């Protein structure tokens, strides 16, 4: 299989490894510690997996907006994403 069309750099590989690790950890948590959905500030019932999806989707938009408005210097965007993730898991 020829994968030369994709720019497989170490940051790209680490990104996909982190996403895969998150999915594995959240699967383990769902099996080991089942939870009931809760209603947060969005007024919809969410589980851990739902909040993870909302966090990943929002983080993608934060990073795209950061690139468009600020340019490079992504470590600060990562900090904003971490704060966003903490807020989502706490209040959504």
């Amino acid at each position: 299989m020829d994968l030369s069309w994709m720019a497989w750099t170490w940051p790209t590989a680490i990104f996909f490894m982190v996403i895969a690790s998150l999915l594995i950890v959240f699967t383990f948590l769902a099996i080991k510690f089942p939870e009931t959905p809760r209603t947060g500030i969005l007024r919809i019932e969410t589980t851990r997996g739902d909040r993870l999806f909302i966090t990943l989707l929002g983080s993608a938009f934060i990073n795209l907006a950061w690139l468009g408005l600020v340019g490079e210097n992504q470590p600060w965007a990562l900090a904003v994403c971490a704060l966003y993730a903490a807020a989502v898991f706490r209040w959504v």
Side-chain angles (χ1 to χ4, degrees):
M1 180 183 266
D2 182 29
L3 295 177
S4 62
W5 61 271
M6 177 69 176
W8 284 106
T9 62
W10 277 110
T12 304
I14 291 170
F15 171 78
F16 284 107
M17 285 189 279
V18 167
I19 298 297
S21 299
L22 281 170
L23 292 174
I24 291 168
V25 167
F26 274 69
T27 301
F28 172 75
L29 287 173
I31 293 168
K32 186 79 172 163
F33 306 105
E35 70 170 336
T36 56
R38 69 177 195 201
T39 303
I41 61 172
L42 294 179
R43 301 292 177 229
I44 58 173
E45 287 188 348
T46 59
T47 63
R48 277 185 224 111
D50 298 330
R51 291 188 293 276
L52 176 64
F53 178 75
I54 292 168
T55 299
L56 292 174
L57 192 62
S59 295
F61 286 119
I62 289 169
N63 277 286
L64 287 173
W66 191 276
L67 280 173
L69 299 173
V70 178
E72 296 182 25
N73 201 4
Q74 287 300 110
W76 290 106
L78 180 62
V80 172
C81 289
L83 291 173
Y84 172 72
V88 167
F89 275 91
R90 174 70 177 109
W91 292 301
V92 172

